[in-house]
Amino acid sequence: MTALVGLPKPRWRLRDPYAHQNGIANFPPIVATVLAARGITTRAQADLFYKPHLAPDYDPLELPGMHEAITRVRQAIEGNETIALYGDFDVDGVTSVAVLYEGLKPLGADCINYIPDRFAEGYGLNLGAVKKLREMGADLLVTADCGISSVIEVAYANQLGLDVIILDHHTVPDELPAAVAAVNPKRPDSPYPFDELAAVGVAYRFLDVLYEAMHRAFDHSAFVDLAALGTVVDVAPLFDENRRIVTEGLAQMQKGLRWGLDALAKVSGTAPERFSAETLGFAIGPRMNAAGRLAHANIALDLMLARDPLTARNLAEQLDHLNRQRQAQTEEAFALAEEKLGTSDDPLIMVWAEGLSPGIVGLVASRLAERRNRPAIVLSKGPEESRASARSVPGFDIVSAIRKEKHLLERHGGHRAAAGFTVRNEHLETLRDRLINTASEQLGWEPARRLIEVDAEARLAGLTGTEVKGLMRFEPCGQGNRKPVLLARGVQLKDAKPVGSAQDHLRLMVKDGPITWRGIAFRQAEAELDGQVDIVFSLQRDWRGDGVELEVLDIAPAFEQRPLESS
């Protein structure tokens, strides 16, 4: 991996300088401090955090459009109409369609599953697919994880006599499509208390209401594993209702896996009892997403719906092979992007090249945004149009910046942190200049150094077994509920060696007092090291599954005395 000259060192900042004073009495000190840093300062709050099933259950009928959606789907089922289930080609879209299909079939629904081809059709609802589904006999089209921006496509469906229901969670545009119902927790008129459901979470709550409306018992355990999978892999924030969904989903997986997940567990070398949010995000999710990135997402959908172990095994092996190809292509594309960018210090990265697979540009954008700490857009340049994937950094709403330039775009959509668009090649230079100007207005021409929020400073030698257990109980961790982050100063670095296919990670051994810890520092093979170091770290289960190791988020020589800032 090429070193990036002048890459600024991350800042360390204490999340809450007074957390140690506000911790819950009689809790292990470090656990109490970390909880207080996250705003949890009473036993009642801690009970809800550790036991999310105790939280009140929201009424899904408060989601705008839900009543109309239920009414129309009941009509379709009772009238023997054909329902087309149309999902995005990522894991959230795939699991949404799988949940809807498995939930609607027992109610007597006649369903057609449809996921667009990333390469031939692109993201979201498209006119050709609408026409095809109508010709296949569909009377009702239910979109999942897409559709909220599809004004033209929904109007076309209506012209063909095809009703549309939208189940989505993406940013809501100024004009809603003329659908029978647009169920989206991000709608400005939504009274629903939680607006961060993934699309599969919306589909899951939709089924809950539908079953109640049809006087049928709803077996949450049959769907919550898929709801958890889509929620984690789509990087939805893991607090409030999402924490409940993921906690219950992981508990269900640990009891037993559906055939598709069992096959993926085997090819990834993961025991079911070790399933965690991290497993879903880094072992299961990438393999499923590889289908839509390099081939067709139907492979992942068929796997989730597999009814026997042989079929599941064959599909899982296909996904594992595609994932290896995806990894190799991503590394090549990332190196090419870095070469094109050189030492550019623009506040927003926008880079394009011919021959890049549209399926991996999002992964490259994510790597660039993380490495250079600025919004990144990577485009696969075609003969006339280019397809883009964008990833942002905290404090910059990438989808709003893109939407400002919609007059230059063919299509666009996404979230504050991730978005995509299609642009004609003659507009590329103009679009880049305008987006860079927007970023400079909001971020300045000198983007802030990457900031690592630290929950508490602690001696490695002072961590007790009770505190380690308490910190590990913060799971499920991910977006919106990061693993507890600690700073340990002056630890002895006993060993450090590069590992990984690109030799860009560090396998570490550190010692503090009588205790020696194993650790891994991802993408930090170029870190400056010394005999004594300060480390910012989280705890994780080690790869062998028989203990706990350090995930080192940043490392610095102790003599540098990098400050721990107060917010």
Side-chain angles (χ1 to χ4, degrees), residues 152-468:
I152 294 173
E153 292 80 5
V154 172
Y156 180 60
N158 291 339
Q159 290 176 15
L160 298 179
L162 182 59
D163 287 343
V164 180
I165 290 171
I166 296 167
L167 305 179
D168 204 351
H169 72 130
H170 289 96
T171 302
V172 179
D174 295 335
E175 180 184 0
L176 282 176
V180 172
V183 184
N184 187 325
K186 288 189 174 66
R187 280 179 51 170
D189 59 339
S190 174
Y192 196 70
F194 184 62
D195 66 357
E196 292 288 358
L197 287 171
V200 70
V202 177
Y204 178 60
R205 297 317 311 268
F206 166 79
L207 281 186
D208 196 352
V209 181
L210 179 63
Y211 269 66
E212 183 178 358
M214 299 189 71
H215 308 292
R216 296 281 293 274
F218 182 61
D219 181 6
H220 291 82
S221 67
F223 308 98
V224 72
D225 59 336
L226 293 175
L229 173 59
T231 297
V232 170
V233 179
D234 210 54
V235 200
L238 299 187
F239 57 81
D240 204 297
E241 187 173 3
N242 284 344
R243 182 170 174 82
R244 179 175 183 165
I245 288 172
V246 174
T247 301
E248 293 177 0
L250 288 170
Q252 182 61 38
M253 291 179 200
Q254 289 161 4
K255 292 177 185 175
L257 297 173
R258 64 179 60 230
W259 288 121
L261 285 177
D262 184 67
L264 279 178
K266 286 184 170 66
V267 298
S268 65
T270 305
E273 62 272 13
R274 290 185 57 211
F275 263 47
S276 65
E278 192 167 35
T279 304
L280 300 183
F282 293 97
I284 304 302
R287 286 173 169 82
M288 289 183 63
N289 270 330
R293 295 189 189 283
L294 299 186
H296 198 290
N298 280 339
I299 302 172
L301 177 59
D302 291 344
L303 178 62
M304 291 301 98
L305 298 177
R307 291 289 182 266
D308 65 87
L310 180 59
T311 300
R313 186 185 70 186
N314 291 336
L315 291 168
E317 288 173 352
Q318 287 183 52
L319 292 184
D320 191 54
H321 177 69
L322 288 169
N323 189 51
R324 294 178 193 277
Q325 290 182 314
R326 188 272 307 169
Q327 290 171 323
Q329 290 186 22
T330 301
E331 290 297 334
E332 291 175 8
F334 178 69
L336 175 62
E338 285 280 45
E339 182 181 346
K340 281 179 167 288
L341 289 167
T343 58
S344 169
D345 59 357
D346 289 335
L348 178 143
I349 295 165
M350 184 164 160
V351 61
W352 57 81
E354 297 175 355
L356 290 183
S357 168
I360 62 164
V361 291
L363 300 173
V364 178
S366 182
R367 288 274 298 275
L368 289 171
E370 176 188 1
R371 183 160 171 75
R372 298 197 177 213
N373 193 43
R374 60 202 68 195
I377 303 172
V378 180
L379 301 98
S380 171
K381 186 177 181 182
E384 298 178 355
E385 294 182 342
S386 295
R387 293 184 186 176
S389 222
R391 298 294 184 270
S392 195
V393 294
F396 187 74
D397 186 340
I398 192 72
V399 78
S400 292
I402 290 168
R403 189 170 289 154
K404 281 177 59 179
E405 316 306 333
K406 62 184 179 183
H407 60 287
L408 296 174
L409 307 175
E410 301 301 302
R411 313 177 70 169
H412 65 280
H415 311 280
R416 291 177 59 88
F421 60 85
T422 301
V423 59
R424 293 193 63 80
N425 292 340
E426 59 261 32
H427 298 317
L428 280 171
E429 299 283 356
T430 300
L431 179 63
R432 177 168 61 184
D433 291 344
R434 293 179 67 89
L435 288 172
I436 287 174
N437 285 336
T438 296
S440 71
E441 291 169 3
Q442 296 186 32
L443 299 173
W445 283 94
E446 292 291 335
R449 289 158 57 195
R450 184 166 68 95
L451 182 66
I452 300 177
E453 294 271 18
V454 176
D455 290 299
E457 190 168 350
R459 281 283 311 278
L460 261 182
L463 284 180
T464 67
T466 301
E467 286 175 324
V468 169

Side-chain angles (χ1 to χ4, degrees), residues 502-525:
Q503 296 287 286
D504 55 348
H505 311 313
L506 277 180
R507 174 58 69 182
L508 305 169
M509 293 285 284
V510 297
K511 185 177 182 181
D512 189 27
I515 307 297
T516 299
W517 290 79
R518 291 189 298 267
I520 183 74
F522 294 111
R523 299 196 181 105
Q524 294 183 65

